[in-house]
Amino acid sequence: MSTRPENTTSYDADAHGWFGGPEAGWGGRFMPEALIAALDELDEAWREAMADPAFVGEFDTILREYAGLPSPLFLAERLSEQVGCRVLLKREDLNHTGAHKIRNVLGQALLTRRMGKTRVIAETGAGQHGVASATAAAYFGLDCTVYMGAVDTRRQALNVARMHLLGAKVVPVESGSATLKDAINEALRDWVASVDHTAYLFGTAAGPHPFPSLVRDFTRGIGDEARAQCLERFSRLPDAVAACVGGGSNAIGMFTAFLDDADVALYGFEPGGEGVDTPRHAATIHAGQRGVLHGARTYVLQDEDGQTVESHSISAGLDYPGVGPQHAHLAATGRAAYLPVTDDEAMQALAMLARTEGIIAAIESAHAVAGGLRVAERLAAEKGPEATVLINLSGRGDKDMGTVVDYFGLGDPDRVTAEPVGDPS
Amino acid sequence: MTTRTAFEKARADGRAALVGYLPAGFPDVAGGIDALRAMVDAGCDVIEIGLPYSDPVMDGPTIQAAAQQALEGGVRTRDVLRTVEAVAATGTPTVVMTYWNPVERYGVERFAADLASAGGAGLITPDLTPDFAPEWIAAADRHDLDKVFLVAPSSTDERIAMTTAACRGFVYATAVMGVTGARTTTSDLAEPLVARTRAATDLPIGVGLGVSTGDQAAELARYADGVIVGSAFVRCLLDHPGDRAAGLRALGALVEDLAAGVRRA
C-alpha cells in the first residue's frame, strides 16, 4: 500500500506536469493565473507530504482501519473456466463507500488538513466521488460542497441522498450539458473565489498539474497491492491488466505498479456508448483529438473549432469528454492500449458477472470486465490456462441499480420468475 | 496595431482608457458587430471580443449565458475573426479574449496570421499563462500581436514580474478573486495589485471584473490605466431579448456613463 515517491516509474511527469516532456506536451497547467498560487501551494504540500513518513504512515493506517484496505485479489474460478485462463478481480468494490475513490479522497483530505484548510469542494458524475468526498469530509470534520450536473443528480438520486446524509451540500449544475464536465467548471469557479480556505478534491487523474500525479499517487495502492498479491499467490505477474477509463483514476491507480514491467500488457477500456461510429460515446482516446480541457492537454472529444463535444455513456461515471493526461501519454507511447466497450457489451458483462460470480459491479467496472474477458479469451488461445488477466473491479453496482433495472426491464413486482432477462453470455 | 496606443492616447488626455467586452456572435454575428460598433461610437477606447467557448471556467453566469447563446446560434471561430475585421475597421484597437483550446485547435500559427490579417491587435488568454505559452508567444511576436496575460491578487511578485515581462499591449489585472460578473462594490484587492504590477512594468494596466457603473469606473481610474467592462454590457443586451434597438440604446447609454466615469477620476 506504499505511496512513497521513490516508487516512481519512467512514465512520470516532470516538475511542470508534462508527461513525456514539454515536446510531447501531455498534461501541463492551463489555468487562470488566479489559481496558480493555489496549485503551487498544493504541489509543494503534496511533495512534502509524500516524502514525510508520518504522513504516509497515517494515510496507510486510515486506509487499513477505516477504508478496509488492502482490498482482496479474487480468483474468479467460474469466469476463468468460461474463458479458459485465470481471471483475477481486484475487489475495490469492497472498499468503504464502494469504490476505489475512497483512496483518493482520504489522501487529499488528509493533505487538506495538513495544509490547514477547512473546506473542501468536489465535482462528481456518478456520485461515487461525491459520496467519497462527503465521507472523507465527515471523517476529518471539514465543510463539504459537491458540484454535480443536474442530469446526473437525477440519474444518481440515491448517491445525492447519501451525500446529504453525510452532511455535504450538493449543488446541481444546470449550465452546459449539465453533466460532469460542467460540474468541474463550476467547482473551478468556486475554487477561484474561495481558494484561501478551500481545497479542491479533484475526482480523477485529470486537471492541471499536480492533480494528475497527485490523484495517481493516492490511488496507486490498487496496483501496488494487486502486484504484490499476485506474486505472493501465483509467483508470477499477470500477462494483462484491464481497467475502465473515464477520467482514468482507477486505471492509473492500477497501471502504475506495472508500468515498468514490460511483459505486462495494459488495457484501458473506454466507454463506447452506442458505438464509436455514432456520436453517442465517450471514447476519448479512441476518437478524440489532442486538446486542452480543464487545465491539461490531453485527448478531448471536440469539434473542429475546439468546442467540447457532449459525451455519452450508460455509465455516468465514465461520461466525460476528456481523460487524464498520463493516459494520453501511455496511449501515445504505446505502453497501454485503449479500446472501446459499448453500453450493451458492458451491461451484458455486468449481468454475466452477477450470475457467474455473485458480484454486482458498477457499470464503470463492467466495461473493464467486458474488455478484460475479451483479452482473456485471446490470451487463453495463445498461451493456455496459465495465462492470467487481472481486472480492476473499481466499484460496486448499488448506485447503478436504477439504470440496471431500466436496461434489463427488471423490478416488476408482479414478475414471478427470477430467470435472467436477455442472454447474459 | 497595438492596444498600447489607445492607452497612451488616454493617458495623454489625463484619463484612463475604457475597454469594452462582448462575446462574438451574440445575439448573432451581425447583431454582435452592430453592438460592438455602437460601443466604439459611444466611447470605448479598446474593444475586447470574446470567443465563445463551451467550458469557460473564468466566466460568471451572465457572460456564459451570452456565449452559450452564441454557440447555440452556430458561431464559429471564423465568425469571430469576421467580427474582429468589422470592428478593427473602425480604427479602434481590437483584441480577442479566448480560452486556449479553440486557438490550439485552429492552429496557433494560423490563428495568429488570420487574426493579424483581420486587423486584430492580439489576444487576452484567461487560461494560458506565459510559462505555458511558448508557442503563442513566438507566433504573436512573428505577427506583432499583443500578448495580454493576466495578473491576480494571488500572484506572487515573481509571477507578476514573469507575466508582465511576457505581455505586450497592456497587462490585465483581475481585481477580485472570482469569476466575471457585475458587483456592487469594487474590490479592495485591486489597488494593491495595480501598485505591485506597476512596480514590475511600464506597460499600461487595465483592471477588470465587476465594474458596472460610471462611479465604479471613476474609482478604478484613479489608479489604473484602463477600466475593463464586460458583464454589464452583456446584461444590456440580455435584458432586451426581443428588442435590439432598445438593447443598443441601453448599451450606448452605459458606455457613455462609463466613458464619463473614466474622465472624472
Side-chain angles (χ1 to χ4, degrees), chain A residues 9 30 53 67 88 105 131 143 159 168 173 204 263 283 287 298 329 335 341:
Chain A
T9 75
F30 297 85
L88 304 175
V105 294
V131 169
D143 287 338
N159 270 344
V173 176
T204 191
D263 291 339
T298 184
H329 175 49
R335 177 62 190 95
V341 166

Side-chain angles (χ1 to χ4, degrees), chain A residues 313-399:
Chain A
S313 170
I314 193 169
S315 166
L318 299 181
D319 194 351
Y320 179 58
V323 64
Q326 191 168 6
H327 288 297
H329 175 49
L330 295 176
T333 56
R335 177 62 190 95
Y338 295 84
L339 303 166
V341 166
T342 64
D343 288 348
D344 288 339
E345 288 172 312
M347 296 307 283
Q348 294 305 324
L350 187 148
M352 183 165 86
L353 182 67
R355 291 164 201 168
T356 309
E357 300 287 355
I359 297 171
I360 297 175
I363 302 177
E364 290 97 319
S365 314
H367 285 73
V369 174
L373 293 181
R374 214 191 285 162
V375 170
E377 284 173 355
R378 182 172 52 74
L379 283 176
E382 286 173 12
K383 298 187 175 182
E386 281 303 299
T388 302
V389 175
L390 167 63
I391 300 172
N392 191 26
L393 207 64
S394 54
R396 69 177 176 234
D398 316 25
K399 69 184 171 61

Side-chain angles (χ1 to χ4, degrees), chain A residues 9-34:
Chain A
T9 75
S10 51
Y11 293 90
D12 268 352
D14 68 15
H16 302 286
W18 293 124
F19 292 95
E23 303 77 24
W26 300 111
R29 188 187 274 175
F30 297 85
M31 271 281 115
E33 172 66 21

Side-chain angles (χ1 to χ4, degrees), chain A residues 189 292 297 304-305 307-308, chain B residues 52 54-56 76 101 104:
Chain A
R189 291 182 181 125
V292 170
R297 187 183 286 119
E304 59 186 27
D305 279 347
Q307 306 289 346
T308 311
Chain B
S54 52
D55 294 276
R76 305 286 309 273
N101 196 50
E104 198 155 295

Side-chain angles (χ1 to χ4, degrees), chain A residues 126-143:
Chain A
Q128 210 70 354
H129 176 61
V131 169
S133 296
T135 300
Y139 178 86
F140 286 103
L142 302 164
D143 287 338

